[in-house]
Amino acid sequence: MISERVKSNLKQTFAESLLPKLGLVLLVSIVFMALFAPVLATHDPTRTGHYDEQGAPYPPLGHEYTAEIVQDGEIVEVPVEPTSEHILGTNNVGQDVYSRFLYGARISLLVGFLGTGIALLIGVPIGLIAGYYGGRVDDGLMRIADTMLAFPALVLALALLGVFGQSSIHVPDPLVIAGLADGMPESVPVPGTVIIVVALVTWVWFARVARGEALAIRNEEYVKAAKSFGTKDRTILRKHVLPNSLTPIIVLATIQVAAIILLEASLAYLGFSGTTLSWGYEIERGQGILRSRSWVSMVPGIGIVLTVISVNLLGDWLRDALDPNIEGEGR
Amino acid sequence: MSLESTTQPLVRIDGLQKYFWENDSILDRLFGNDPVPVRAVDGVSLDIHQGETLGLVGESGCGKSTMGETLLRLQEPTDGRVEFDGQNVYELSGDELTAFRHDAQVVFQDPFSSLDPRMTIGETVRQPLDVHDIGSETERDERVADLLERVGLSADQLDRYPHEFSGGQRQRIGIARALALEPEFMVLDEPTSALDVSVQAQVLNLLDDLQDEFDLTYLLISHDLSVVRHVCDRVAVMYLGEIVEVRPVDELFTEPKHPYTKALLESVPRASTDERKRDRETLTGDVPSPRDPPSGCRFRTRCPMVIPPEDMDIEQETYRELMHLRERVENRDLSLASVGDEGQFETDNGGVPDADVPAFVAALKARLLETELPPRHDAIVEEALAELADENWEAAAERLRTAYESVCERDNPSLGDGAHSVACHLHGVASERPSEPDSWT
């Protein structure tokens, strides 16, 4: 399905620019961190109480701050030294920020990729069918899509979460079971409803793009030719319409992964997450202490920014490489 | 080849209509907009006989391709029937429809759009065999290789993608795909118009050879008259969704009967030194919109030979000019405010003062008509234009209509039967005036 020409285009565009390389390196390292989080983590991310002897959370390495603690009924300011035990410090309930950062990457990527996957599975068939058949089928399906689009994604997601509730599925962590990482949580919470909800607010985009492509492709002469010798609609959709509409859908999918990661962070920030191991949740936790202990919010914030940038850089690369103008005839 | 074969035709098209509807969405219906039909094909009847090549010619947008697609049931018709081997194509279903899909194929105009860019040409040519489940896997592969070699490509190019081929090669791949099922009938929808002249002949010759080899029947849709002359046995000329003339190819080219056919043939440039001096009778005006085709004969708005009413002694040229004037009045395609010198006539409050009417009419006439009219017609035109002085469009149009309405706009001439039919009031069954007007040169 991916022709030699497309491959060579991908290679060429990749070689020509620094940005896709940067994006790839970033994304690969974030995926690596997420996959091997239990091995790379230094502490159980959910264990609280990592404070220094004065009872104050640790700052990251190379950073000192003065904490206000209550001593003998009085508020006193005491300097707090970092420790190599917690390289990125601890948060206000004494959890290791570095370990939570690694586990947060898992949630972001899971929601981002699974959410996009489900949105693709819903949106692409609906869009292709609407565009290919046109007429009333199209009118009906696209009015539903327009209705979805009329609501801001975040508001719609909050409403849907209100309907579905927030529950997460606890999936056993193979690395911990294999005994590679002792002392880590034995299961990973997968925020199931959040994944479904982000897919439900995102599929519309795939439906619209797929519809537009199908609308153009159904008038192509190769589709008419296929009809003329009696190919069934289902086969035409699968063999002609889908492969020829994939390029813009793939490009959109990369952009949507980034958008869904941001949406998940927003939902978690607002407290709708289903798990506390989320970057968005962590940002919210650090919000009140942004002046004194900024790292609590800063570390997950940087995580979100880097992930979104890396996905977008790769998306730009795909778009440039798959652009039909560059792809061109006879190249 | 017998042109007037008495046997059952392979394809019999009877009153085929295909309208496209505008303003037909839910919203339009909600707001009460009436759907507007675009009459792409409007009542076409034609027979195509076994083994012949029937050409279908006409200007762009006259409905040729729509007709080709509709008769293959790639689009559902609005009305009419098409019989293939005696069976109504639009009533087929199940196995019969599959059999029809097996026997009738199409080759398209654009070799860049007719092949799926994401399929190798082997897969493309194999597709019909897969759909109809013919032979075993290896037999299909062999057949594909044979077909490609038959159309002049080599079998080791099977795994290449369409973009690696030239336009002519692609067109031949399209032909191989259409041949895969060994059809009886092929619609060739401008198969050469996207190709270089040097390649056109190759493709046409290939089609010719294949016709002999496989006993194929062709419907060749084209706007290229030289191609039609080269390949076809009979030719049908189409104008605005209707067939205006069907004749054997030699007759059509040597003595065209319908004014439109004549104009089409005239428009072909000739490689001759006489060309410079030749007085080409080119058509005036645009093709009318198929949303609102003219009444009666559809060609009458551009016809150089419109039949004037009985007893009206009038030159064709003058008559044309009057028809043109009438059309502008009917469409209100005139600016009354700009008549005469600036500010000469007050038209603000609904009309020119009575005293100014003769001057107004004279000024308007001077602008609209180039030739001097015979007195009788001059009087009629002045009467009509005087109505315009009061912005009385309806009355002006009515005056002109009663005086100049032609048989061409009242009745739509029918095509008649047989191999030599012409749909024109000047000829055939509908004709009341067998002689051609003198003004035709």
Side-chain angles (χ1 to χ4, degrees):
Chain A
M1 203 152 62
I2 292 171
S3 67
E4 290 298 321
R5 175 171 40 130
V6 170
K7 280 184 207 153
S8 78
N9 263 328
L10 284 171
K11 273 185 206 150
Q12 194 184 340
T13 327
F14 189 79
E16 273 167 8
S17 168
L18 179 69
L19 291 176
K21 291 175 197 136
L22 191 66
L24 190 71
V25 169
L26 269 174
L27 191 67
V28 165
S29 25
I30 292 167
V31 169
F32 180 80
M33 286 194 294
L35 278 180
F36 297 102
V39 182
L40 297 171
T42 49
H43 296 80
D44 183 337
T46 53
R47 227 196 99 199
T48 54
H50 296 293
Y51 299 118
D52 76 346
E53 63 277 7
Q54 304 160 94
Y58 293 105
L61 280 181
H63 188 80
E64 280 176 27
Y65 79 115
T66 37
E68 293 176 346
I69 54 167
V70 184
Q71 213 169 39
D72 305 332
E74 271 179 69
I75 297 174
V76 288
E77 295 195 342
V78 291
V80 184
E81 296 283 329
T83 163
S84 58
E85 186 77 347
H86 301 284
I87 52 172
L88 292 177
T90 56
N91 65 14
N92 25 353
V93 292
Q95 293 165 323
D96 183 51
V97 170
Y98 166 69
S99 303
R100 291 186 72 78
F101 173 79
L102 296 175
Y103 272 82
R106 286 188 149 187
I107 302 300
S108 276
L109 292 181
L110 264 178
V111 175
F113 284 100
L114 281 181
T116 307
I118 295 173
L120 274 169
L121 289 180
I122 305 172
V124 172
I126 288 181
L128 290 183
I129 286 170
Y132 180 74
Y133 287 102
R136 282 182 202 168
V137 180
D138 186 27
D139 279 344
L141 290 174
M142 284 303 116
R143 286 310 82 76
I144 297 174
D146 288 345
T147 315
M148 304 283 285
L149 277 179
F151 295 99
L154 188 60
V155 175
L156 189 60
L158 287 175
L160 287 171
L161 276 175
V163 175
F164 292 139
Q166 314 164 35
S167 62
S168 48
I169 309 150
H170 288 265
V171 179
D173 191 326
L175 288 170
V176 181
I177 290 171
L180 291 172
D182 285 335
M184 292 297 149
E186 282 185 3
S187 64
V188 192
V190 177
T193 41
V194 171
I195 291 176
I196 289 171
V197 162
V198 294
L200 284 180
V201 301
T202 318
W203 70 268
V204 185
W205 297 101
F206 291 105
R208 291 228 73 114
V209 169
R211 171 186 176 267
E213 291 297 307
L215 215 53
I217 291 167
R218 72 163 174 178
N219 288 326
E220 292 282 346
E221 288 178 346
Y222 55 81
V223 169
K224 288 187 193 164
K227 280 186 192 169
S228 80
F229 49 75
T231 318
K232 290 195 183 69
D233 284 345
R234 201 158 14 108
T235 316
I236 294 179
L237 277 168
R238 192 165 42 91
K239 284 199 153 177
H240 294 293
V241 183
L242 178 64
N244 283 291
S245 50
L246 270 187
T247 305
I249 292 176
I250 291 173
V251 173
L252 178 68
T254 54
I255 297 166
Q256 287 301 331
V257 167
I260 286 180
I261 288 174
L262 284 175
L263 181 60
E264 190 275 335
S266 314
L267 287 171
Y269 175 86
L270 295 171
F272 296 86
S273 166
T275 170
T276 59
L277 275 176
S278 163
W279 285 340
Y281 185 85
E282 208 60 10
I283 291 178
E284 197 275 334
R285 176 136 57 189
Q287 191 188 18
I289 46 169
L290 208 51
R291 275 164 176 263
S292 52
R293 296 193 281 271
S294 56
W295 64 89
V296 176
S297 292
M298 204 86 96
V299 171
I302 289 170
I304 292 171
V305 169
L306 290 182
T307 312
V308 168
I309 285 181
S310 69
V311 172
N312 274 335
L313 287 177
L314 290 175
D316 286 350
W317 164 55
L318 283 179
R319 194 198 54 212
D320 290 347
L322 302 180
D323 190 318
N325 292 329
I326 300 170
E327 196 175 23
E329 290 292 339
R331 226 177 105 160
Chain B
M1 190 173 314
S2 159
L3 292 167
E4 282 165 89
S5 154
T6 48
T7 55
Q8 174 95 358
L10 179 68
V11 181
R12 174 185 287 265
I13 305 164
D14 187 15
L16 188 66
Q17 283 184 343
K18 175 65 189 176
Y19 293 178
F20 295 98
W21 297 91
E22 286 187 344
N23 299 343
D24 199 25
S25 71
I26 288 177
L27 269 185
D28 283 313
R29 239 168 284 156
L30 223 64
F31 291 122
N33 291 341
D34 285 329
V36 181
V38 178
R39 299 157 201 259
V41 177
D42 202 1
V44 166
S45 299
L46 263 182
D47 288 348
I48 305 172
H49 298 281
Q50 180 80 46
E52 78 169 338
T53 302
L54 177 68
L56 184 62
V57 298
E59 282 166 287
S60 305
C62 74
K64 306 184 296 278
S65 294
T66 307
M67 177 168 145
E69 285 175 18
T70 311
L71 79 88
L72 287 177
R73 204 177 163 183
L74 295 179
Q75 307 196 9
E76 291 297 322
T78 309
D79 197 13
R81 54 191 279 137
V82 170
E83 279 174 24
F84 182 81
D85 253 349
Q87 283 181 305
N88 188 345
V89 168
Y90 304 118
E91 283 166 7
L92 297 176
S93 59
D95 289 348
E96 288 171 336
L97 182 61
T98 311
F100 171 67
R101 294 278 180 235
H102 184 287
D103 289 341
Q105 298 295 329
V106 56
V107 174
F108 285 106
Q109 168 177 14
D110 182 0
F112 292 87
S113 152
S114 63
L115 304 179
D116 188 333
R118 308 220 176 231
M119 268 193 185
T120 64
I121 62 160
E123 287 173 275
T124 295
V125 176
R126 216 186 118 113
Q127 247 187 314
L129 300 172
D130 290 339
V131 168
H132 288 267
D133 205 18
I134 287 167
S136 66
E137 293 280 313
T138 41
E139 279 167 359
R140 284 180 209 170
D141 289 339
E142 280 166 22
R143 173 117 182 88
V144 170
D146 285 350
L147 281 165
L148 283 178
E149 274 170 13
R150 182 62 199 84
V151 298
L153 294 157
S154 105
D156 55 17
Q157 293 170 315
L158 276 174
D159 294 328
R160 303 224 184 136
Y161 284 88
H163 70 93
E164 297 171 66
F165 294 91
S166 70
Q169 285 174 319
R170 286 175 186 221
Q171 197 59 293
R172 282 183 277 161
I173 296 165
I175 293 171
R177 175 178 58 188
L179 276 177
L181 294 170
E182 298 186 12
E184 287 180 52
F185 174 57
M186 267 162 77
V187 171
L188 309 170
D189 190 354
E190 311 228 15
T192 56
S193 64
L195 304 179
D196 288 345
V197 180
S198 56
V199 186
Q200 282 189 8
Q202 285 177 22
V203 170
L204 289 174
N205 289 337
L206 172 68
L207 287 169
D208 212 23
D209 294 345
L210 293 172
Q211 182 169 38
D212 296 341
E213 200 175 321
F214 297 101
D215 190 26
L216 288 162
T217 306
Y218 287 151
L219 173 66
L220 176 77
I221 297 170
S222 182
H223 60 252
D224 187 337
L225 291 168
S226 58
V227 168
V228 167
R229 187 169 203 170
H230 182 66
V231 181
C232 295
D233 302 313
R234 278 195 310 146
V235 183
V237 182
M238 199 162 178
Y239 184 78
L240 262 187
E242 292 181 341
I243 302 287
V244 296
E245 185 164 3
V246 188
R247 306 272 297 287
V249 68
D250 301 335
E251 277 184 38
L252 187 98
F253 278 88
T254 47
E255 37 164 345
K257 290 216 169 115
H258 197 282
Y260 178 62
T261 314
K262 287 182 187 173
L264 268 188
L265 294 179
E266 286 280 338
S267 68
V268 178
R270 292 167 204 166
S272 150
T273 46
D274 297 339
E275 180 68 7
R276 265 184 305 169
K277 280 174 261 164
R278 181 162 70 101
D279 184 19
R280 278 177 303 266
E281 193 75 38
T282 50
L283 291 177
T284 52
D286 296 324
V287 186
S289 162
R291 279 167 202 79
D292 183 22
S295 64
C297 172
R298 296 213 165 153
F299 188 52
R300 71 169 164 87
T301 53
R302 298 167 77 198
C303 183
M305 296 168 67
V306 180
I307 305 164
E310 303 273 339
D311 312 323
M312 181 150 288
D313 185 21
I314 188 167
E315 295 264 326
Q316 178 68 26
E317 208 172 304
T318 320
Y319 185 60
R320 268 250 55 92
E321 210 174 340
L322 288 171
M323 294 301 280
H324 185 59
L325 169 69
R326 216 189 103 194
E327 202 182 306
R328 288 183 70 178
V329 172
E330 275 175 354
N331 295 333
R332 309 195 173 191
D333 180 22
L334 279 173
S335 163
L336 296 182
S338 63
V339 173
D341 299 329
E342 202 170 339
Q344 191 182 349
F345 305 110
E346 292 287 335
T347 51
D348 297 338
N349 39 11
V352 179
D354 286 348
D356 283 344
V357 167
F360 176 83
V361 168
L364 195 55
K365 202 170 69 177
R367 205 180 74 190
L368 294 173
L369 297 172
E370 284 168 12
T371 48
E372 190 81 9
L373 294 175
R376 180 179 155 198
H377 301 294
D378 204 40
I380 299 174
V381 169
E382 282 191 1
E383 266 176 56
L385 293 181
E387 297 285 359
L388 283 186
D390 292 330
E391 294 191 21
N392 216 339
W393 294 96
E394 298 285 340
E398 181 59 33
R399 183 73 198 91
L400 289 171
R401 189 177 313 126
T402 42
Y404 295 112
E405 189 175 55
S406 157
V407 61
C408 293
E409 61 190 285
R410 280 197 306 273
D411 297 320
N412 195 4
S414 61
L415 189 59
D417 297 321
H420 311 260
S421 5
V422 183
C424 179
H425 288 296
L426 292 168
H427 302 279
V429 277
S431 168
E432 284 158 23
R433 285 169 61 106
S435 65
E436 296 186 3
D438 302 333
S439 56
W440 177 263
T441 44

